[in-house]
Every structure is written in structure tokens, then in C-alpha cells.
Amino acid sequence: MSDYYPDKEHGKWCSETIELVDKKTGEIKEKPLYVFKPENIGANMSIDDKAIARDGFSILSNNDSGKIALMVEATTAEGVEMAMEKFGTDLHKIKNVSMDMSPTYALVFNNLVPRAVQVIDKFHVMKYVYQCVCEVRSRTVKELQNQLSKGKKRSDEDKKILLEIENLRRVSHAITQSPDKWNDEMKETVNELFEKYDNLKLAYEISQKFKCWYNYENRINSTEKITQALYQWYQEAMLITEFNSVVKMIRKHETQIINFFKNGITNANAERLNGKIQRFVSGNYGIKDKDFFLYRTAKYFS
């Protein structure tokens, strides 16, 4: 019902390959490029990794068309760079590329397309910021748990503490959202907790200030003004211990994060593509024949 066997027989399937050396054994392994479509290279690209059948793949996709340009079973800088080199001068079409904070992909694009504007994906950064708020919530829960009396019998005070812990657990998802996403009941619960736990309220306010700073509408401001606003946020965020690591991370990738205001591209299309592939896996009840599955994936998504 498909051209899988004819394409395989006539060398039309996985005709492009790369050779990688296994660092442990020294053995040379041939890796096929399951998708290699120079015509899908465009001005705005995204690169992301995806686990398929327990193997790691790197997927380069076009942000505008949503089509895959490259899919290779490699997540190392050496493997991805070797695969992308096969595009030759087509790489010059790339003006902007969105990626996560992986140093692998940054290194590849620095070597092959140094003029392309690298943009760290906004949603990855926000995920780490919200994670800090969740860590403050977890710390608050632990502090309450330590106040519980020892033994099986619970006092009235213990019951109050357990109710507070339950409420803190209920808001675990809400504190990773904007207030306009909360229903009336959740608003009441969150506001009650904020009145009791100043640290949690402050952590959430800091996350929302960062989200406001990350609004694409701020592109009308100069880079200097955007940077100054970010530095002010650093000072506020450092007031809470849980934010120290995320501040260091953002400082490290500051240029690529601020590049978002130049073009507004994100990895949203790449993540959506990953989701579609995952649903494709589920719809087929898993992967029985990996090579045939990748053949179908290539046909559908490139």
C-alpha cells in the first residue's frame, strides 16, 4: 500500500548517510538521514531533539511551513554537524533559528551558520522560571510537614496543617499560569495562600514580572532598555534562593534570549511537530518496524 519496498530497493529511501565513530569501540557506524529535504530549508528554522523507539533524533524543521528538513539519529554536535553539512549552500537561507538551551545545537550553528540569529525558545525559559515558583511551594510544604506532631494520632492543629498542605498541592499547576487562567474557586484558594505565605506570593510575582518582560510587544523598546529591565528583574529574583540557578542560566544565554525581540520566533512549531509524531506513534500502537515507521513519518511530515 506504500512505496516503501520499491523505494528501498532502488535506493530512494535513506540515500543520504553519515559515518560516525563509536568512541567506546572505535567502530565506524553508518547513520542514515531519514529526512533530507534541502527544499524545506527556509529563513526561520527550529531544531529540537526527539526520542523515537528509545533512540535520540535531531529534527530540523521549517518554522513557517512546519515541514521537516532533516531528521537524523544523532544528538551529538559531531553527528548533527556532519548531517547538516550536506545541505551545502542551502544553509545560507537560514536567517533565524530557534532552539532550547542545548550547547550542542548552538555549537553546530556557530560553526555552520554563524550569521543566523540564534533564539533560545521562550517556553523553555519560562518553564525554568515557573519551576522556581514550584520549588518555593515545595519548601513551604516541607516546612509545614515538619510542624506535624509525631505519632499516628492527629490533633486539631495537625488537621489544619494537613488542610494547608492539601491546598498547596492543589495550586501546584495554577502557580505556573497567569491569573486570568484561574477559575473563581482557584483564585480564592491561591489568594488565601498568598496572604499566609509571603515567599510564595513574592516568587509568583517575580515569575509574572519576567513573563511581562518576555512579551513580544516590548520589541518596540530599544535593546538597551530591554536589557536594563532584565537586570532589574535579576535583582528582584535574587531575593529568593530558589531563583539563583535560573538567574545564572539566563545570564549565560542572555544574548540568545534577548534575540527573541528581534523576530519573535519560538520552538512552538517544533514542539507541536514532536507532539504530532508522538500521536502518530500512539495511533499506530507503538513502533513494531522502526525503519518502516520512520519512512511513514518522513512521508507525512516532510
Side-chain angles (χ1 to χ4, degrees), residues 146-201:
N146 291 334
Q147 294 175 25
L148 292 169
S149 56
K150 306 298 180 183
K152 294 182 179 180
K153 192 173 181 180
R154 296 298 184 190
S155 65
D156 290 340
E157 186 61 30
D158 287 339
K159 290 176 182 177
K160 289 179 182 178
I161 292 172
L162 288 170
L163 182 61
E164 288 293 286
I165 291 173
E166 179 59 30
N167 284 335
L168 283 163
R169 284 176 177 158
R170 282 178 59 205
V171 303
S172 60
H173 181 62
I175 57 177
T176 63
Q177 296 177 314
S178 302
D180 59 345
K181 301 284 180 67
W182 304 339
N183 59 32
D184 292 338
E185 184 183 354
M186 186 56 69
K187 280 180 185 176
E188 187 179 344
T189 304
V190 172
N191 289 329
E192 283 179 6
L193 290 172
F194 282 171
E195 286 178 12
K196 294 176 183 177
Y197 306 106
D198 292 337
N199 267 358
L200 183 59
K201 181 181 180 181

Side-chain angles (χ1 to χ4, degrees), residues 14-18 30-35 71-73 291:
C14 294
S15 57
E16 294 286 345
T17 61
I18 58 172
E30 192 174 71
K31 296 279 186 180
L33 306 189
Y34 292 105
V35 176
M71 183 165 69
V72 59
E73 190 182 335
D291 193 66

